[in-house]
Amino acid sequence: MDGMTLAQGEEFTESCGRFAALPAETIFAYCSFEDFEISSPSVEGVILGCCFTRMTWYWELFNTALISDTTFEDCVFQGCSFRSVDFLNCTFKRCRFELDNLGGACLFSDCRLVECVFENCEFLKDERPGAEPIFEKNRFYGCKQRGTRGELIPI
């Protein structure tokens, strides 16, 4: 993890300022994020023990990130891509995984999800012919879903 930036115990309530200056490979430890939209090109670092509340991501690329002991509550993901992400003990409450403005769905590909909970979440699927599935080549270990709507998580 040489050369990575650490943000620890910070509260982020807007996308400008310090948050905007942080690189994709940042380690976020025990931070809170509330009520703003993130449209940075990618998340490639570590998110540990954080809380995201009423956040919106548009076309965000979560690539090879490690996300552990983190809660996402009332968040919206629009056309986001989760590729080779490790989710450990994460909770998603009332989150929506929506189509982007071109009709593309979020994608979970080659991820590992361990002891994660999806509670009252909604996954919208791209219904166009030839569209990729939302979930492909993922591994789920001890995950739970309650009240999921739309595309179901294949756990």
Side-chain angles (χ1 to χ4, degrees):
M1 297 216 195
D2 191 34
M4 294 187 94
T5 302
L6 174 63
Q8 185 172 349
E10 296 188 42
E11 293 181 11
F12 296 97
T13 57
E14 57 186 34
S15 61
C16 61
R18 173 151 162 70
F19 180 78
L22 293 169
E25 301 86 12
T26 298
I27 299 170
F28 292 100
Y30 312 106
C31 295
S32 64
F33 301 79
E34 189 170 347
D35 289 318
F36 68 93
E37 182 175 323
I38 297 177
S39 57
S40 61
S42 64
V43 174
E44 299 171 3
V46 177
I47 299 173
L48 173 63
C50 293
C51 183
F52 293 88
T53 307
R54 294 179 302 279
M55 299 294 297
T56 301
W57 282 269
Y58 185 77
W59 272 8
E60 190 74 29
L61 304 175
F62 293 81
N63 292 322
T64 65
L66 169 61
I67 304 174
S68 179
D69 297 300
T70 294
T71 300
F72 298 87
E73 192 165 343
D74 298 313
C75 292
V76 178
F77 300 88
Q78 297 173 305
C80 294
S81 174
F82 302 89
R83 293 185 186 269
S84 300
V85 176
D86 290 325
F87 291 96
L88 308 171
N89 196 37
C90 293
T91 301
F92 295 83
K93 292 181 181 179
R94 297 176 306 278
C95 292
R96 296 187 329 264
F97 297 83
E98 300 180 346
L99 305 178
D100 61 29
N101 67 339
L102 300 175
C106 291
L107 170 68
F108 288 78
S109 178
D110 201 29
C111 295
R112 285 184 294 184
L113 294 96
V114 179
E115 299 289 328
C116 293
V117 176
F118 292 85
E119 205 173 289
N120 297 311
C121 293
E122 182 173 15
F123 293 89
L124 297 180
K125 182 179 180 181
D126 184 345
E127 299 290 346
R128 298 175 292 186
E132 292 182 332
I134 294 175
F135 303 101
E136 65 176 16
K137 299 185 288 185
N138 299 295
R139 291 155 300 212
F140 296 91
Y141 305 97
C143 295
K144 298 176 184 167
Q145 60 183 326
R146 293 186 284 272
T148 302
R149 297 177 309 281
E151 186 77 4
L152 295 179
I153 302 166
I155 53 178

